[in-house]
Amino acid sequence: MTARFDQGPWAAAGVQTVQPGVHRVPLPLPNDGLHAVNVYLLEGLADDGGLVMIDGGWAIPEARKALEEAMAVIGRDLGDITHILVTHIHRDHYTQAVELRRLLGSRVYLGAGERPGLEMLNELRSDEPAGSIDTLRRAGAGELADRVRAMDHGGYDPAVWEAPDRWLGAETLRFGDSELRAVPTPGHTRGHVVYLDERRGLLFSGDHVLPHITPSIGFELAESGGLPLADYLDSLRLMTRYADAHLLPAHGPVTDSAHARVAELLAHHDDRLGKSLSALGEGTLDAHAVARELSWTRREVPFGELSAFNQMLAINETAAHLDVLVLRGQATAAFTNGVNRYTRVR
């Protein structure tokens, strides 16, 4: 597939018609390095003439206003949204979907793997990433875990953390004569789902496949469970079993080939696995110590220059890479005094 999408800055307010009846709308995020989250409006699917929306955005007034203004450009209004298919539970994707349901009566869909996180969030009545904080403690970063837990995570609002109308597994959703395939893609979160329009060759990838950045791994509200990076790599390979499609991500511009970006992400994680193994050296280290030996982001930023929140993401990702090295027999792990410590196999 050859690149053919001409776009300005992807996060600029407005609407981009990707194909007839398929519209990308970037919605603002508060104080977020990602700048915006893309939601997609699909016409011609719902039997009642309504719109199917993919991802909901963050429930803030600025996002609602931007959505209303973009819909006016295509001759629509909020009342036309009848179905909202959410890729995962993070608040920049889920919370406005719930708010719009309350306002409009839209049906909200979410991957079944997100259910434990949503239930834990409502049990704790806090939107702190409890699973990720627990991972920090097991990684030897207890002091950082305390700092992250003390942060303002936006305030718990039960009104935007209600359950969806339908929990999704691997299934095909039918809207009139059209179909969207829901494909579970655990890794970024346990219940992440992408939506594949095979007829039009479109992959609505959420945070699973992003064109410019690599998504955080295992950033969970509940216990991550299992091996999130192993799950993520398997989920990436799963994408190559389907015909290549245009990539319609949650953050970043639309691009022409999902397969090309999947190959880049797989190569990136191979590189990070090698660097994590090298950082272990001859000693026995926890994930916090290994993360401090690595550089971060495309700008190769030292660990110490990251914010506390981004240090959490870095340590969690390092732990995920070390666990895959153990799975592959390249390292061993021992859990003592509440901390996992890793040793390179010689």
Side-chain angles (χ1 to χ4, degrees):
M1 302 177 76
T2 57
R4 60 180 185 81
F5 289 106
D6 297 321
Q7 302 169 83
W10 74 269
V15 58
Q16 175 202 4
T17 298
V18 178
Q19 288 188 11
V22 179
H23 311 284
R24 181 183 70 87
V25 179
L27 300 181
L29 300 174
N31 303 315
D32 194 291
L34 293 173
H35 305 299
V37 59
N38 293 323
V39 302
Y40 295 90
L41 302 172
L42 281 59
E43 298 182 280
L45 296 187
D47 292 330
D48 57 7
L51 297 174
V52 173
M53 181 173 172
I54 295 182
D55 276 330
W58 192 311
I60 55 174
E62 296 87 347
R64 170 90 68 84
K65 183 174 184 289
L67 179 59
E68 290 176 328
E69 291 175 348
M71 295 187 73
V73 172
I74 61 172
R76 295 283 198 155
D77 59 39
L78 290 182
D80 292 325
I81 301 172
T82 55
H83 304 270
I84 307 176
L85 314 183
V86 182
T87 58
H88 61 295
I89 200 175
H90 289 163
R91 64 187 305 153
D92 57 326
H93 297 256
Y94 189 64
T95 55
Q96 185 165 247
V98 175
E99 187 175 78
L100 290 174
R101 176 178 63 184
R102 186 176 302 106
L103 177 69
L104 310 171
S106 312
R107 288 179 57 80
V108 174
Y109 302 69
L110 184 65
E114 302 292 38
R115 192 166 193 161
L118 186 59
E119 290 176 348
M120 175 175 280
L121 183 150
N122 286 314
E123 178 181 336
L124 296 175
R125 302 188 69 79
S126 168
D127 61 354
E128 70 180 37
S132 295
I133 291 172
D134 287 344
T135 299
L136 283 182
R137 298 193 190 283
R138 292 193 298 272
E143 185 273 335
L144 178 61
D146 291 338
R147 281 196 285 143
V148 171
R149 188 172 186 184
M151 289 178 179
D152 179 4
H153 295 284
Y156 172 75
D157 179 0
V160 295
W161 292 115
E162 297 172 350
D165 296 283
R166 182 171 168 189
W167 296 104
L168 296 175
E171 57 188 278
T172 298
L173 302 172
R174 292 179 173 82
F175 300 96
D177 295 329
S178 299
E179 296 181 347
L180 288 175
R181 185 191 292 268
V183 183
T185 49
H188 178 57
T189 66
R190 291 169 66 178
H192 195 290
V193 173
V194 302
Y195 299 98
L196 180 60
D197 184 334
E198 293 176 289
R199 180 177 63 84
R200 291 190 281 198
L202 304 175
L203 175 66
F204 301 93
S205 65
D207 284 3
H208 179 52
V209 182
L210 298 173
H212 292 156
I213 60 175
T214 58
S216 58
I217 301 300
F219 180 42
E220 295 286 351
L221 302 174
E223 284 288 338
S224 60
L227 297 172
L229 179 60
D231 291 341
Y232 179 66
L233 297 176
D234 286 344
S235 296
L236 284 177
R237 296 184 190 102
L238 176 61
M239 296 296 93
T240 66
R241 298 178 193 170
Y242 299 100
D244 199 5
H246 302 302
L247 177 66
L248 281 64
H251 306 285
V254 173
T255 62
D256 201 65
S257 172
H259 283 187
R261 182 55 179 159
V262 165
E264 291 173 353
L265 288 168
L266 288 168
H268 164 79
H269 283 289
D270 278 344
D271 179 66
R272 294 302 285 183
L273 285 163
K275 288 177 178 175
S276 298
L277 187 63
S278 295
L280 273 177
E282 302 295 328
T284 295
L285 302 175
D286 57 40
H288 186 195
V290 174
R292 294 198 300 268
E293 296 297 316
L294 301 172
S295 56
W296 296 93
T297 80
R298 288 178 294 167
R299 301 190 307 275
E300 301 290 318
V301 175
F303 178 85
E305 295 181 14
L306 299 175
S307 68
F309 185 83
N310 285 316
Q311 285 185 357
M312 175 188 69
L313 297 180
I315 293 170
N316 285 1
E317 183 165 321
T318 301
H321 281 88
L322 293 170
D323 287 340
V324 167
L325 292 174
V326 173
L327 179 67
R328 295 181 176 181
Q330 295 175 277
T332 60
F335 187 68
T336 56
N337 299 321
V339 175
N340 278 320
R341 292 178 172 83
Y342 301 86
T343 306
R344 184 172 182 171
V345 172
R346 296 294 180 181

